[in-house]
Amino acid sequence: MSEMFLRNVPGTDDILKNITVGIAGCGGIGSNVATSLTRSGIGSLVIADMDMVEITNLNRQHYFQDDIGKIKVDALSTHLSNINPEVKIIKHFGKITAHNYLELFHDVDILVEAFDLAGEKKWLIEGWMKNKPNIPIIAGSGLSGIGSTARIKIQKSGILTICGDQESDMSQGLIASRVILVANMIAHEVISEILKDKLK
Amino acid sequence: MITVNNRDQLDWTENMTVRDILKLMGHTYSLITVTVNDQLVEDEDYDSFIVPDHAFVSVFHLAHGG
């Protein structure tokens, strides 16, 4: 067992290090989910995004001043390796589309949906449910504004889990405390999903 | 009787569709994902998918922001 995980929940390390999680989008949700999963001991991540780091990302996304102008998946990969040098990272720089997502994430144990736009969330969630009916997908919906934490919920049906208030829209603005809260709920749902059967 | 979002209960009627349930629940927002008994129902099937009695229906609202 790696010394890094001596304080982890006993019995989880050997399970988590053999898991691959796909993360579609490396913004407010995706970058923070990737960070928490790396700290938790997930062994492999497939991260995909088409953007560069901009200064406006730094209020909520896991990037730093000297990342500005860098490709997000490159910057994030560096940060994740700085947390755990043993984490395996497959990077895809480019747009995730309805034509390539199955290939990009063909070998993952769980997929995290971390897109900005609701229409894109819809095609990814529904496409995944149709084409990968046995692989869980965990998504975010409603993490904007300054609404009460009590409004944030977890809703599940079959392979789909959605975290968020399912109401607030990014036109209300995005603040770190709420975005990262939902990102960490998603990360924890990933961990719970993996461990629910294997720790019985 | 059918259950929506593990909370609301609706009287079941014969030939009740997903569209009927969305109307009864007052859902007008288009960016939603719907499941019936944990199975996805796609948009184009809302008018034709017949919801069985005692079904569990989930309606997920998809909001911008990520």
Side-chain angles (χ1 to χ4, degrees):
Chain A
M1 180 172 70
S2 165
E3 192 176 355
M4 177 179 166
F5 299 112
L6 281 175
R7 299 287 185 272
N8 249 15
V9 176
T12 60
D13 298 10
D14 287 341
I15 299 169
L16 297 177
K17 77 179 182 188
N18 290 312
I19 294 293
T20 300
V21 179
I23 300 180
C26 297
I29 293 177
S31 66
N32 288 301
V33 168
T35 301
S36 280
L37 292 180
T38 300
R39 291 193 193 282
S40 299
I42 291 290
S44 304
L45 296 169
V46 180
I47 58 175
D49 196 286
M50 61 184 286
D51 289 334
M52 313 282 199
V53 179
E54 299 176 9
I55 192 166
T56 53
N57 301 148
L58 269 56
N59 76 326
R60 66 197 186 282
Q61 302 183 18
H62 192 78
Y63 301 104
F64 303 92
Q65 289 285 336
D66 59 4
D67 290 329
I68 293 168
K70 293 180 183 170
I71 292 168
K72 277 188 179 177
V73 292
D74 289 341
L76 183 58
S77 176
T78 299
H79 301 320
L80 300 176
S81 295
N82 279 334
I83 294 168
N84 179 10
E86 293 182 12
V87 68
K88 299 182 188 77
I89 301 166
I90 297 171
K91 301 181 287 183
H92 170 75
F93 172 53
K95 188 169 175 62
I96 303 164
T97 71
H99 300 292
N100 69 9
Y101 75 100
L102 289 172
E103 184 184 342
L104 289 176
F105 300 112
H106 72 281
D107 214 16
V108 302
D109 297 295
I110 292 188
L111 182 67
V112 171
E113 176 284 315
F115 285 157
D116 281 337
L117 299 176
E120 296 201 328
K121 292 175 183 291
K122 183 173 170 69
W123 71 249
L124 180 59
I125 290 168
E126 297 192 1
W128 191 262
M129 292 178 79
K130 271 172 59 182
N131 291 292
K132 293 280 193 176
N134 299 313
I135 308 293
I137 178 167
I138 304 179
S141 173
L143 46 70
S144 306
I146 54 166
S148 167
T149 303
R151 298 186 70 85
I152 295 172
K153 60 190 175 187
I154 297 169
Q155 186 179 355
K156 300 178 185 229
S157 177
I159 64 165
L160 175 63
T161 299
I162 290 192
C163 301
D165 63 27
Q166 295 188 34
E167 292 178 41
S168 60
D169 184 279
M170 64 184 181
S171 62
Q172 297 170 248
L174 295 153
I175 196 157
S177 51
R178 208 159 194 262
V179 172
I180 296 171
L181 176 72
V182 172
N184 277 314
M185 287 174 74
I186 292 170
H188 193 67
E189 285 302 306
V190 170
I191 300 293
S192 299
E193 182 68 33
I194 295 163
L195 297 176
K196 73 177 183 190
D197 296 325
K198 296 180 178 173
L199 282 185
K200 276 180 185 171
Chain B
M1 188 74 76
I2 60 171
T3 305
V4 181
N5 289 348
N6 290 318
R7 184 188 58 221
D8 301 305
Q9 297 212 303
L10 295 176
D11 288 330
W12 178 80
T13 56
E14 203 168 344
N15 295 323
M16 190 177 215
T17 66
V18 166
R19 183 78 66 197
D20 294 331
I21 291 169
L22 294 175
K23 279 183 189 165
L24 283 169
M25 297 298 295
H27 286 290
T28 54
Y29 186 61
S30 63
L31 287 166
I32 57 174
T33 287
V34 177
T35 65
V36 175
N37 292 332
D38 289 343
Q39 298 302 308
L40 174 70
V41 180
E42 295 183 78
D43 296 33
E44 56 265 35
D45 297 326
Y46 288 175
D47 290 316
S48 58
F49 189 99
I50 305 297
V51 179
D53 195 9
H54 309 297
F56 286 87
V57 177
S58 294
V59 181
F60 297 86
H61 281 237
L62 304 174
H64 299 302

